[in-house]
């Protein structure tokens, strides 16, 4: 064995991950710690059994590796630009107007590059040595319209590079990348992008650094600007269902944009986007970009609570007649006002309305007004409705809460089960594995290969028809039909059993109400209320669970939104109830 | 397949004993599940959704396996493989074993699976991570055995036997021993087949010599393979049994005795009733003195007082000259009948009835009372209720008679069981019942006068 010669070989052992190689008599590499003999030996054998060829084989191996790792010179922000581009394209195929990509998102991104001093400014942040930055030199760089040009420009350069690589000794025409490559090999901290290392180290006050989750914030801001019919929860659901690139978005980078080392930390994502988290990022980015007041959200906009309420009433199979009540609540609470709804990042307290959560909260409040949801009245009212429906089979049926509950419970449980299974089956790892340093490369690729081959083997055991078929994107998750008893549609059912005439107008038979939160938290802990499930009635828990599953949000955030609506609705009573311990109170329309 | 893994858990070191203790009593053990729970509990940071996926996936697989939904299990398995790429190195390293266990279970039962699929899977898993090579090789061989592919299994074991991992192989010595022992067991199988063939041949036959030579070769190889394992503490019943059989066949009685004595008496070995049974049977074959046999069974009595050998033990004690052996003989009988599984053992009741009379005639009332005191609270309900009396009479009249006699002696004439049986009018048994009544009158430990 020859330990000296084996020093050139720096890849990790695939068995025990150590870098400690010896050479066997046959010229194979073996790991001195676990005695594993590498695959590299195969190459040696293939090239011939003569001992002298082994050195050649090794050098060829190393060269081939370098060729794989070197691609175009690219910057981290270009990577994000790529992701945004893919996302915008995906939104376009979902039916969003082309202006979103070409004008709005493009402008937001330009503004971001400018604000973060990466481009469109006198002194871009790029460090002195690389001042000749691609960003400024290349006029087409951030121009969305000329994306194809950008690509062709890149491929031109790659021609040049592949030319140099094909020369056996690789005379260094481009000093920067080559020196960087050798440097990186010694330091073992490196990146495929030019500024990956610096980027991950950069911490500048007042600058919002780009991350993959923030790309979604950009998407949502553009959607909001365009007043598109996609809510934040829809957007995140589309991400989860794979209609919008997010996890492993780097997979679809052009072949020559190599990612490794620090790029892994920047572009690899191992979690689904969470509503609250992205919501915060949206406000953060909007403030950072110093965006002006967004276009008004008026009554004819999709995001207006009246329309969203209608949509969600349909989604959860509640009677259309309830829309009157939701509109009234919206009016009384003032959450339908343009000023309330429109996002204004430069306002003193920048905050945007969670349109979807709010609309759903209004529906919860209306359900509470109608049925009280105290595990008692709703069932009494259901009995009345059931009797009426039995007697009057020809008439428009009264809404029966119990029947609705049974249908919904079954559908939601089914859906949830499917959703959980789909989540458990989700494949996170990209086809292009990312590795930290070049010595990890072989191990990572080997691991990938292993997983793929195991998966291949087991996929033969699975039925040919995949159980989780890819859903086509839809803003509706449920589908109700008249006639099918499992999916009975309640849209046409009436509320006569629950309302009574009082003079000209109708009022609810139920005159009681209870508040979801009696006392709001006034300290600085950011949350205004907490949600301890067991303190609430089972019906309320069911409703909250149903809606929060629909929006993929935490139950506590929906509960909070309900409480906030109630706070607006019972403003006067709130000041009084401070003294009262019981918060049940009468309420009439 | 679960049997295989149990066998693998045992020979490991103390660390693992803790683990198996946790599950003793439940009858089911998922050591890897415990490990899994451990890692979840320690995660301080917010768990990534990737981990959530793999965790959820694991529980779906477990559920599917419990419900024997192999198809579903395979579907989830497809996704679970990605744990091999987990960025958490602890989980990544623990993964191959979990994957192997789940995957082999699925492939064992899945309708679309076959030996070839299993082989491919096993060969692939052997080379993921160093530590599992031997375990997987062994289980792979057991799978092949199960499918009757003895030669392939043997080849597999030979392959595993020669595998070395530098430092890591020393910690797995037990596993290597186990692999060798299984190889030995396979050789034993061939040997005993040859032995059968040999017994059909005539000694003068030309073929006889070659065949016996062949056998000799085999036995030699086998003993080498088995020897190392049975030196190590553990439960090695099949190995010990076959090893002893070969030794005995070639007349090495001393060697066989040594192996069995060591297996039964070495304190490092876990307590194992079979070890004593083997030794007892061997000594019986050897016609060892009664004293010796008694001493072996005494230990078995302490471990398994309900073992069927206990009746034999009682006979030995009864025949012994020593008084304390006689006393122990009574204890043993009472001990056997303490167990629900032995309540209908007519021999035990017969012995007890006979021996009670004998003991009382020998003026050892104290012995009987000593045994009876601890049982008088529950034996009447356990053995001598009128329900039992009716049932026993219906099913087995001879048993009922023996029991009635015992009941009468222990509880007196007034006892329900005795009364029920004595009232029965049966032509055949009339005489016997009369005798019983007489015996009870004479021997009952309950004094009716008091």
């Amino acid at each position: 064995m020859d330990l000296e010669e084996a020093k050139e070989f720096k890849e990790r052992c695939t068995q025990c991950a150590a870098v400690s190689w010896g050479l066997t008599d046959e010229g194979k590499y073996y790991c001195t710690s676990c005695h594993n003999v590498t695959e590299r030996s195969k190459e040696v054998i293939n090239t011939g059994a003569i001992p002298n060829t082994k050195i050649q084989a090794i050098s060829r191996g190393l060269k081939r590796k370098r060729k794989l790792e070197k691609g175009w010179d690219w910057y981290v922000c270009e990577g994000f630009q790529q992701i945004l581009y893919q996302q915008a394209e995906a939104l376009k195929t979902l039916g969003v107007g082309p202006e979103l990509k070409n004008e709005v998102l493009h402008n937001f991104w330009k503004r971001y590059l400018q604000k973060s001093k990466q481009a469109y400014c006198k002194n871009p942040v790029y460090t002195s040595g690389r001042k000749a930055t691609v960003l400024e030199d290349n006029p087409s760089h951030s121009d969305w319209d000329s994306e194809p040009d950008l690509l062709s420009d890149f491929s031109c350069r790659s021609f040049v590079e592949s030319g140099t690589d094909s020369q056996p000794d690789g005379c260094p025409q481009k000093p920067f990348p080559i020196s960087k490559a050798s440097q990186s090999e010694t330091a073992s901290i490196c990146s495929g992008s030019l500024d990956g290392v610096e980027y991950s180290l950069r911490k500048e006050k007042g600058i919002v650094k780009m991350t993959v989750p923030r790309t979604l914030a950009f998407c949502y801001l553009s959607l909001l600007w365009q007043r598109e019919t996609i809510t934040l929860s829809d957007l995140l659901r589309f991400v989860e269902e794979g209609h919008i690139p997010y996890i492993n978005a780097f997979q679809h980078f052009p072949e020559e944009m190599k990612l490794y080392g620090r790029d892994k930390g920047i572009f690899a994502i191992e979690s689904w986007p969470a509503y609250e988290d992205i919501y915060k990022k949206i406000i953060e980015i909007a403030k950072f970009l110093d965006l002006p007041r967004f276009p008004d959200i008026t009554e004819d906009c999709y995001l207006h609570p009246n329309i969203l309420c209608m949509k969600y009433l349909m989604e959860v199979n509640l009677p259309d007649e309830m829309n009157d009540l939701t509109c009234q609540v919206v009016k009384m609470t003032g959450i339908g006002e343009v000023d309330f709804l429109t996002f204004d990042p430069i306002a003193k307290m920048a905050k945007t309305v969670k349109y979807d959560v709010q609309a759903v909260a209004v529906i919860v409040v209306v359900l509470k007004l109608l049925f009280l949801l105290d595990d008692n009245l709703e069932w009494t009212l259901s009995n009345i409705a059931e009797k009426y429906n039995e007697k009057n089979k020809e008439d428009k049926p009264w809404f029966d809460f119990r029947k609705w509950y049974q249908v919904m419970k079954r559908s939601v449980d089914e859906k949830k089960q499917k959703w959980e299974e789909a989540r458990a089956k989700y494949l996170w790892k990209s086809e292009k594995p990312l590795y930290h340093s070049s010595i990890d490369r072989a191990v990572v690729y080997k691991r990938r290969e292993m997983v793929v081959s195991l998966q291949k083997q087991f996929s033969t055991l699975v039925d040919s028809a995949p159980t989780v078929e890819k859903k086509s994107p839809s803003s509706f998750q449920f589908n109700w039909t008249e006639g099918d008893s499992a999916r009975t549609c309640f849209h046409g059912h009436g509320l006569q059993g629950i309302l009574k005439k009082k003079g000209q107008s109708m009022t609810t038979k139920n005159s009681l109400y209870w508040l979801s939160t009696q006392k709001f938290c006034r300290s600085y802990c950011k949350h205004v209320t907490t949600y301890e499930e067991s303190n609430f009635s089972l019906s309320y828990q069911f409703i909250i669970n149903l809606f929060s599953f629909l929006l993929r949000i935490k139950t506590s955030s929906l509960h909070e939104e309900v409480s906030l609506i109630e706070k607006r609705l019972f403003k006067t009573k709130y000041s009084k109830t401070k003294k009262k311990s019981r918060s049940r109170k009468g309420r009439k329309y | 397949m679960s049997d295989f893994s149990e066998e693998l858990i045992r020979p490991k070191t103390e660390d693992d004993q803790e683990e198996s203790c946790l599950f003793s009593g439940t009858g089911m053990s998922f050591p890897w599940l415990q490990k899994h729970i451990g890692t979840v509990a320690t995660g301080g940071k917010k768990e990534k959704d990737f981990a959530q996926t793999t965790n959820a996936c694991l529980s779906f697989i477990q559920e599917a396996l419990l419900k024997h939904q192999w198809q579903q299990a395979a579907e989830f398995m497809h996704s679970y493989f990605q744990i091999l790429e987990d960025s958490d190195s602890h989980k990544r390293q623990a993964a191959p074993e979990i994957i192997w266990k789940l995957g082999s279970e699925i492939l064992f039962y899945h309708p679309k699976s076959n030996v070839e699929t299993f082989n491919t899977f096993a060969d692939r898993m052997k080379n993921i991570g160093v530590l599992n090579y031997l375990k997987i090789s062994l289980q792979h061989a057991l799978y092949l055995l199960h499918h009757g592919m003895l030669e392939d299994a043997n080849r597999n074991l030979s392959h595993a036997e020669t595998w070395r991992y530098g430092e890591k192989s020393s910690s797995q010595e037990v596993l290597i021993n186990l692999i060798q022992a299984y190889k030995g067991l396979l050789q034993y199988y061939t040997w005993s087949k040859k032995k059968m063939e040999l017994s059909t041949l005539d000694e003068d036959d030309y073929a006889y010599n070659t065949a016996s030579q062949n056998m000799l070769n085999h036995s030699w190889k086998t003993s080498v393979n088995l020897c190392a394992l049975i030196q190590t503490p553990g439960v090695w019943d099949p190995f010990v049994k076959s090893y002893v059989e070969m030794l005995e066949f070639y007349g090495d009685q001393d060697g066989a005795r040594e192996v069995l004595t060591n297996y039964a008496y070495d304190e490092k070995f876990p307590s194992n009733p079979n070890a004593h049974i083997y030794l007892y049977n061997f000594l019986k074959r050897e016609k060892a003195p009664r004293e010796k046999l008694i001493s072996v069974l005494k230990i078995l009595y302490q471990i398994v007082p309900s073992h069927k050998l206990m009746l034999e033990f009682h006979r030995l004690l009864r025949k012994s000259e020593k008084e304390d052996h006689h006393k122990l003989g009574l204890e043993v009988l009472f001990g056997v009948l303490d167990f629900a599984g032995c309540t209908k053992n007519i021999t035990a009741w017969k012995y007890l009835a006979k021996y009670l009379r004998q003991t009382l005639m020998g003026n050892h009332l104290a012995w009987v009372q000593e045994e009876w005191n601890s049982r008088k609270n529950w034996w009447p309900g356990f053995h001598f209720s009128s329900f039992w009396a009716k049932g026993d009479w219906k099913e087995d009249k001879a048993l009922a008679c023996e029991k009635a006699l015992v009941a009468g002696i222990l509880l007196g004439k007034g006892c329900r069981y005795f009364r029920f049986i004595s009232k029965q009018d049966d032509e055949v048994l009339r005489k016997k019942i009369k005798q019983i009544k007489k015996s009870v009158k004479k021997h009952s430990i309950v004094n009716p006068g008091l």
Side-chain angles (χ1 to χ4, degrees):
Chain A
M1 52 177 85
D2 193 340
L3 292 173
E4 274 306 306
E5 273 186 73
K7 273 189 180 167
E8 297 167 45
F9 191 51
K10 286 213 177 92
E11 290 184 12
R12 281 190 195 283
C13 171
T14 48
Q15 299 280 8
C16 68
V19 190
S20 157
W21 298 101
L23 275 179
T24 62
D25 293 341
E26 296 94 41
K28 295 180 188 181
Y29 282 110
Y30 74 94
C31 177
T32 54
S33 71
C34 71
H35 294 217
N36 167 39
V37 180
T38 55
E39 289 205 338
R40 189 69 77 194
S41 61
K42 274 186 191 163
E43 253 176 67
V44 177
I45 290 166
N46 289 345
T47 47
I50 318 148
N52 286 347
T53 53
K54 110 193 142 201
I55 295 152
Q56 285 173 10
I58 295 156
S59 65
R60 199 184 306 159
L62 287 174
K63 206 185 74 199
R64 196 189 56 183
K65 189 187 74 197
R66 181 170 295 165
K67 194 165 128 200
L68 269 174
E69 279 177 12
K70 258 214 45 63
W72 294 336
D73 291 347
W74 60 280
Y75 287 90
V76 170
C77 66
E78 287 175 295
F80 287 118
Q81 183 169 310
Q82 255 294 330
I83 294 176
L84 283 171
Y85 174 78
Q86 289 172 29
Q87 288 171 340
E89 282 293 327
L91 284 171
K92 214 163 87 178
T93 50
L94 286 178
V96 171
E99 310 81 39
L100 178 119
K101 180 186 142 205
N102 298 339
E103 285 161 29
V104 186
L105 185 56
H106 178 203
N107 273 318
F108 284 170
W109 180 241
K110 274 206 290 200
R111 210 173 162 107
Y112 174 78
L113 290 176
Q114 195 175 31
K115 289 271 178 195
S116 60
K117 303 205 182 89
Q118 298 189 69
Y120 303 104
C121 59
K122 285 255 165 70
N123 296 308
V125 283
Y126 288 107
T127 39
S128 49
R130 312 221 175 97
K131 200 65 174 278
T133 145
V134 193
L135 286 174
E136 276 191 322
D137 286 359
N138 186 352
S140 66
H141 163 69
S142 342
D143 207 337
W144 286 96
D145 297 327
S146 53
E147 185 73 24
D149 290 339
L150 176 71
L151 291 183
S152 65
D153 179 54
F154 265 18
S155 52
C156 273
R157 218 184 306 153
S158 81
F159 276 133
V160 178
E161 273 169 26
S162 60
T164 60
D165 266 3
S166 64
Q167 288 164 26
D169 292 325
C171 84
Q173 292 183 347
K174 286 195 150 202
F176 279 137
I178 302 277
S179 67
K180 181 177 171 284
S182 60
Q183 185 196 337
S184 65
E185 249 158 57
T186 50
S188 89
I189 298 168
C190 55
S191 65
S193 57
L194 284 177
D195 60 339
V197 179
E198 292 151 64
Y199 191 87
S200 46
L201 294 175
R202 196 183 302 150
K203 271 181 204 146
E204 234 173 290
K205 229 182 160 186
I207 289 207
V208 175
K209 240 163 78 172
M210 201 53 197
T211 59
V212 181
R214 287 202 173 104
T215 58
L216 291 178
F218 270 95
C219 288
Y220 182 72
L221 283 172
S222 336
L223 288 169
L224 186 58
W225 189 277
Q226 288 299 99
R227 292 179 287 187
E228 287 289 348
T229 56
I230 294 181
T231 60
L232 180 54
S233 59
D234 287 335
L235 180 74
L236 302 186
R237 190 160 51 81
F238 291 149
V239 167
E240 201 186 286
E241 287 169 5
H243 302 302
I244 294 172
Y246 177 73
I247 288 152
N248 295 334
F250 61 85
Q251 244 181 169
H252 307 292
F253 284 6
E255 185 64 29
E256 288 81 2
M257 276 173 84
K258 302 291 175 200
L259 287 100
Y260 57 87
R262 286 304 177 92
D263 302 333
K264 186 180 176 188
I266 301 170
F267 291 104
I269 287 293
E270 290 206 329
S271 285
W272 281 289
Y275 191 101
E276 289 296 324
D277 180 50
I278 303 294
Y279 173 77
K280 268 183 217 146
K281 291 190 160 63
I282 288 165
I283 295 173
E284 191 185 40
I285 296 252
K287 270 157 94 176
F288 177 67
L289 297 185
D290 212 12
L291 293 177
R293 185 179 150 115
F294 275 52
D296 286 348
I297 305 285
T298 50
E299 265 181 58
D300 52 348
C301 287
Y302 178 72
L303 295 177
H304 191 276
N306 285 352
I307 295 177
L308 273 182
C309 279
M310 190 68 187
K311 187 228 147 170
Y312 287 115
L313 283 175
M314 278 167 76
E315 175 82 311
V316 299
N317 206 5
L318 285 167
D320 299 336
E321 283 181 23
M322 272 177 69
N323 197 38
D324 281 346
L325 298 166
T326 58
C327 289
Q328 281 190 61
V329 171
V330 167
K331 204 169 162 195
M332 289 176 73
T333 50
I335 58 171
E337 314 269 315
V338 174
D339 283 339
F340 176 79
L341 289 171
T342 307
F343 182 33
D344 190 0
I346 18 183
K348 206 172 169 193
M349 278 277 284
K351 81 180 235 224
T352 169
V353 175
K354 297 170 186 166
Y355 302 97
D356 35 13
V357 185
Q358 194 183 58
V360 159
V362 169
I363 296 176
V364 176
V365 169
V366 169
L367 281 170
K368 276 170 82 180
L369 284 168
L370 289 174
F371 297 101
L372 194 60
L373 304 185
D374 64 345
D375 283 346
N376 187 14
L377 186 72
E378 61 271 38
W379 308 124
T380 319
L381 291 171
S382 304
N383 291 340
I384 299 169
E386 197 183 341
K387 265 181 211 151
Y388 174 87
N389 288 345
E390 261 168 37
K391 274 186 212 152
N392 308 283
K393 285 199 171 133
E394 301 301 307
D395 292 2
K396 177 179 178 178
W398 285 5
F399 178 69
D400 181 344
F401 186 85
R402 181 181 291 117
K403 275 235 172 78
W404 174 81
Y405 166 80
Q406 284 161 351
V407 169
M408 285 314 287
K409 173 85 177 142
R410 198 181 314 124
S411 312
V412 169
D413 284 352
E414 224 169 76
K415 200 112 205 156
K416 223 173 195 165
Q417 174 75 17
K418 272 197 191 141
W419 176 74
E420 272 163 13
E421 283 177 15
R423 279 204 155 203
K425 281 183 188 165
Y426 189 82
L427 297 177
W428 287 91
K429 297 297 175 177
S430 78
E431 293 141 26
K432 268 206 294 200
L434 294 180
Y435 47 92
H436 273 299
S437 60
S438 51
I439 55 168
D440 284 332
R441 186 173 181 277
V443 184
V444 170
Y445 270 86
K446 171 128 194 215
R447 231 179 255 146
R448 179 76 227 158
E449 211 175 278
M450 239 152 47
V451 171
V452 169
S453 71
L454 284 169
Q455 281 174 340
K456 211 187 223 165
Q457 194 188 356
F458 268 72
S459 59
T460 57
L461 299 177
V462 178
D463 260 344
S464 47
T467 42
V468 193
E469 69 278 10
K470 198 161 176 175
K471 281 173 262 166
S472 53
S474 163
S475 52
F476 284 97
Q477 298 173 62
F478 287 106
N479 173 17
W480 310 108
T481 45
E482 206 69 70
D484 182 357
S485 64
R487 314 203 149 275
T488 319
C489 177
F490 291 90
H491 293 154
H493 290 213
L495 298 177
Q496 287 88 333
I498 318 157
L499 299 175
K500 60 181 179 198
K501 258 218 167 82
K502 198 181 180 195
Q504 283 289 310
S505 63
M506 300 285 276
T507 154
T508 58
K509 267 191 189 161
N510 164 41
S511 60
L512 297 170
Y513 197 82
W514 55 273
L515 294 167
S516 293
T517 299
Q518 294 175 33
K519 224 173 167 183
F520 284 90
C521 180
R522 282 165 189 278
S523 62
Y524 295 99
C525 52
K526 295 238 168 142
H527 60 80
V528 289
T529 178
T530 52
Y531 179 54
E532 176 61 51
E533 207 177 47
S534 55
N535 290 346
F536 294 90
S537 68
L538 293 172
S539 309
Y540 183 72
Q541 283 177 37
F542 171 74
I543 302 272
I544 293 282
N545 279 328
L546 164 67
F547 281 112
S548 45
F549 170 67
L550 216 58
L551 302 184
R552 312 279 195 268
I553 54 173
K554 281 196 219 128
T555 46
S556 57
S557 41
L558 178 54
H559 175 76
E560 185 179 308
E561 199 69 34
V562 171
S563 305
L564 290 173
I565 301 249
E566 286 175 355
K567 196 178 172 190
R568 287 174 158 268
L569 195 60
F570 305 112
K571 216 179 282 166
T572 48
K573 298 286 174 183
Y574 249 104
S575 44
K576 279 186 216 161
T577 47
K578 267 183 196 169
K579 278 168 264 166
K580 274 199 237 163
S581 58
R582 279 178 72 89
S583 62
R584 289 198 164 187
K585 51 175 282 307
R587 142 127 218 103
K588 279 173 195 163
Y589 274 81
Chain B
M1 290 305 288
S2 54
D3 297 338
F4 305 170
S5 49
E6 259 170 50
E7 278 176 37
L8 282 171
I9 293 163
R10 253 177 254 145
K12 280 212 238 151
T13 42
E14 290 97 26
D15 309 12
D16 289 69
Q17 268 163 15
E18 258 181 43
E19 216 167 61
S20 46
C21 283
L22 276 176
F23 293 94
S24 64
T26 56
M28 226 199 231
S29 80
F30 294 114
W32 41 269
L33 179 67
Q34 188 59 25
K35 212 184 284 166
H36 177 76
I37 292 167
T39 50
V40 171
T42 51
K45 272 189 284 180
K46 191 193 164 280
E47 202 180 45
K48 291 209 170 119
D49 288 340
F50 174 78
Q52 233 177 51
T53 295
T54 50
N55 287 344
C57 202
L58 180 58
S59 35
F60 274 118
I61 297 172
Q62 288 168 346
E63 201 186 315
L65 288 180
L66 278 176
K67 293 180 182 164
H68 290 211
Q69 299 166 334
W70 315 115
Q71 174 94 15
Q72 247 121 310
E75 270 171 45
F76 285 109
M77 206 58 202
H78 182 264
S79 146
Y80 191 68
F81 289 127
Q82 60 185 327
I83 199 169
L84 288 170
E85 290 180 275
D86 200 323
S87 46
D88 179 341
S89 61
H90 283 291
K91 284 194 189 169
R92 202 170 57 219
Q93 273 156 18
E97 197 180 344
I98 302 176
I99 289 183
W100 163 249
K101 284 186 176 167
L102 297 174
S104 56
E105 187 88 2
I106 294 170
L107 291 180
F108 189 79
Y109 292 106
H110 198 288
K112 277 193 203 163
S113 157
N114 51 32
V115 177
E116 219 167 286
T117 342
F118 194 94
N119 286 348
T120 326
F121 180 64
D123 286 337
R124 199 160 282 146
M125 291 311 295
K126 277 177 207 171
N127 293 309
I128 299 178
V130 204
L131 289 167
N132 299 310
Y133 186 89
L134 292 176
K135 269 195 214 176
I136 295 177
S137 294
L138 183 54
Q139 292 185 20
H140 186 191
L142 292 173
Y143 173 87
L144 292 169
L145 275 184
H146 185 94
H147 285 76
M149 303 164 76
L150 299 188
E151 266 176 46
D152 293 76
N154 196 32
R155 203 176 315 123
N156 236 295
L157 290 171
S158 309
H159 222 270
E161 191 185 22
T162 52
W163 187 270
R164 288 292 178 275
Y165 273 120
E167 295 157 24
K168 298 222 163 109
S169 54
S170 61
S171 62
Q172 303 204 0
E173 206 176 353
V174 189
L175 269 175
I176 293 180
N177 284 342
L178 196 60
I179 284 171
Q180 283 172 340
Y182 267 103
K183 230 181 112 188
L185 209 58
L186 276 177
Q187 280 155 355
Y188 161 79
Y189 178 74
T190 336
W191 177 82
S192 81
K193 251 195 346 205
K194 291 234 163 77
K195 200 173 90 174
M196 292 282 286
E197 276 168 32
L198 204 61
S199 64
T200 60
L201 288 176
D202 189 13
E203 253 184 69
D204 300 326
D205 199 320
Y206 169 74
Y208 184 85
N209 260 335
T210 34
S212 69
Q213 190 60 39
N214 230 329
M215 257 178 78
L216 210 65
N217 277 341
H218 262 285
S219 67
W220 180 78
K221 270 196 274 176
T222 312
S223 53
V224 169
N225 279 327
L226 291 174
C227 220
L229 180 73
I230 54 187
Q231 305 290 332
T232 351
V235 178
W236 313 118
D237 293 350
F239 306 102
V240 170
K241 229 175 140 180
S242 40
Y243 187 42
V244 167
E245 191 188 330
M246 292 172 98
L247 287 175
E248 270 187 284
F249 187 81
Y250 291 107
D252 187 0
Q253 306 295 335
D254 293 334
R257 189 179 313 109
E258 197 191 316
V259 167
L260 285 172
T261 316
N262 182 56
Y263 191 52
Y265 288 110
D266 193 326
E267 283 188 350
K268 278 178 271 166
F269 280 63
S271 150
N272 176 6
N274 285 343
H276 302 283
I277 294 166
Y278 295 157
L279 182 58
Y280 172 74
N281 286 333
F282 174 77
L283 291 173
K284 212 166 95 176
R285 280 197 297 275
E286 237 194 358
K287 307 232 163 21
R290 189 190 296 144
E291 198 64 22
K292 187 124 201 201
L293 295 174
I294 288 178
S295 72
V296 174
L297 286 181
K298 223 180 212 168
I299 300 175
L300 183 64
Y301 170 63
Q302 270 147 24
I303 313 175
V304 196
S306 64
H307 196 274
K308 59 173 186 257
L309 274 179
M310 285 305 115
L311 295 177
E312 217 169 309
F313 184 37
H314 165 78
R315 280 202 302 274
L316 284 172
L317 291 167
R318 203 166 59 193
K319 282 183 208 150
S320 164
E321 276 96 46
K322 284 192 190 164
E323 185 139 295
D324 58 333
H325 279 173
H326 294 157
K327 188 175 178 233
L328 185 61
L330 187 67
E331 251 180 75
V332 167
L333 283 179
F334 270 104
V336 167
L337 290 168
D338 279 343
F339 289 88
C342 306
T343 47
K344 295 208 167 149
N345 189 331
I346 183 161
T347 327
W349 285 110
K350 207 186 259 167
Y351 281 179
L352 183 61
K354 202 170 148 197
Y355 202 59
L356 271 175
R357 262 186 306 175
Q358 206 179 316
T359 315
L360 290 168
M361 278 197 288
N363 276 333
H364 291 299
L365 179 66
W367 293 358
V368 178
Q369 269 167 343
E370 193 184 314
E371 292 305 315
W372 180 241
N373 272 342
S374 60
R375 293 181 174 87
K376 64 181 174 198
N377 290 332
W378 59 284
W379 267 39
F382 185 59
H383 288 306
F384 305 131
S385 64
S386 44
F387 170 77
W388 278 121
K390 275 176 218 159
D392 289 343
W393 183 256
K394 212 169 156 191
E395 268 177 44
D396 188 348
K397 293 196 172 59
L399 172 73
C401 287
E402 299 300 338
K403 274 180 85 174
L405 178 52
V406 175
I409 292 173
L410 293 171
L411 289 162
K413 272 193 289 189
C415 125
R416 281 182 189 166
Y417 199 98
F418 177 74
R419 270 203 335 241
F420 181 84
I421 303 295
S422 57
K423 266 189 240 154
Q424 298 303 315
D425 193 34
D426 189 284
E427 293 218 356
V428 192
L429 291 167
R430 192 172 293 155
K431 207 173 151 199
K432 175 139 198 193
I433 291 173
K434 213 171 187 180
Q435 261 177 5
I436 291 170
K437 281 185 193 160
K438 224 163 124 192
S439 292
V440 169
K441 208 171 183 184
K442 199 167 156 200
H443 298 297
S444 179
I445 59 167
V446 184
N447 194 337
L450 284 174

